[in-house]
Amino acid sequence: MSDTHPHRPSSDEEPSLDGGPGYRPAAPTVLRGPLTALAVVTGLTTAVLAVLVAGGSVGLPVDTELHTAVATWWGEPGRPALLIDFLGDPRSVAVAIAVLAAVCLALGRRRLAVVAVLGPVLTGALTTGLKPVVGRTIHGDNLAYPSGHTASSTALAVVAALLVAGVIGAGVVGALLLVVAMSTVAGGAMALAQIALDAHYPTDVLGGFCCAITVVAAVALLVDRALDRTAGRRMRRAAG
């Protein structure tokens, strides 16, 4: 007797971009709850900082203290800081986005490839749009909050962390640690360079860091949610 039941693909089957059976999520399923909470915390932090620094042209007391600490530790940033700064340049970010998206596709993570493009691009758009709204300046009329360089580096690191977590099948603790650790290393390095070069106040780089985590996490969760619904409708039609 022939089997008339609909095909049930294995968990290793190649996913489709439209969320078909056997999909591989952009954000590991175990991480969706913690990632939502993290996005809320970082989003609120970005907003609170924006209110605190709005319209300012000098650093907050904490900015002065942190800048002094960084200047003491990294008194002559020179080429290393300039190289790190270059990695946050839009051209460098565009290349990094293309490479990261290609790696995601090569590893069968089609949803995450979409996030690899949308996450950093929307992060850059948001940081650019927030600058004139917040109106904080440094060195004259240069808009400062939030730091776009820090945000870009952090956004790429979050996508990379989601990729690693998905490939190795990390549990909730391991996946969350990967996101926090990789974003902190990449965003922290760019943040230190921006402070050492006196291109941003410390609160600018914190705002950029938090903004990136919020945007990339939100994009990943929304992509999964939208394509999960599409997959569900298709599976119901196939089964009916």
Side-chain angles (χ1 to χ4, degrees):
M1 182 181 294
S2 62
D3 186 0
T4 58
H5 292 288
H7 171 58
R8 297 179 181 274
S10 69
S11 59
D12 292 331
E13 184 173 322
E14 176 69 19
S16 62
L17 184 59
D18 62 0
Y23 73 88
R24 291 168 180 157
T29 304
V30 296
L31 194 58
R32 290 183 183 179
L35 202 60
T36 299
L38 183 61
V40 170
V41 171
T42 53
L44 288 174
T45 301
T46 304
V48 169
L49 285 173
V51 172
L52 290 175
V53 306
S57 57
V58 295
L60 301 177
V62 67
D63 286 316
T64 301
E65 294 179 7
L66 290 174
H67 185 274
T68 300
V70 172
T72 301
W73 175 70
W74 200 359
E76 297 181 4
R79 289 185 179 179
L82 291 173
L83 175 59
I84 295 173
D85 177 75
F86 175 73
L87 295 177
D89 181 87
R91 293 165 296 182
S92 300
V93 172
V95 172
I97 288 172
V99 171
L100 186 55
V103 172
C104 290
L105 289 174
L107 294 175
R109 308 282 164 169
R110 297 186 179 183
R111 291 187 180 192
L112 193 55
V114 174
V115 178
V117 175
L118 289 182
V121 169
L122 291 178
T123 296
L126 182 58
T127 55
T128 300
L130 278 175
K131 280 185 168 70
V133 174
V134 176
R136 188 189 208 185
T137 57
I138 189 171
H139 304 313
D141 296 329
N142 297 302
L143 296 171
Y145 183 93
S147 167
H149 278 61
T150 305
S152 296
S153 298
T154 304
L156 291 167
V158 174
V159 176
L162 293 176
L163 177 61
V164 174
V167 169
I168 68 175
V172 60
V173 175
L176 188 58
L177 285 176
L178 277 169
V179 170
V180 173
M182 292 178 67
S183 62
T184 299
V185 170
M190 183 61 72
L192 286 173
Q194 295 303 301
I195 297 170
L197 292 169
D198 200 22
H200 280 284
Y201 304 109
T203 42
D204 296 335
V205 299
L206 178 58
F209 176 81
C210 290
C211 182
I213 292 177
T214 300
V215 172
V216 176
V219 170
L221 293 168
L222 288 173
V223 165
D224 278 336
R225 183 180 179 86
L227 296 185
D228 282 348
R229 287 183 174 181
T230 301
R233 287 196 295 268
R234 292 192 174 190
M235 291 178 71
R236 285 192 294 272
R237 286 198 297 267

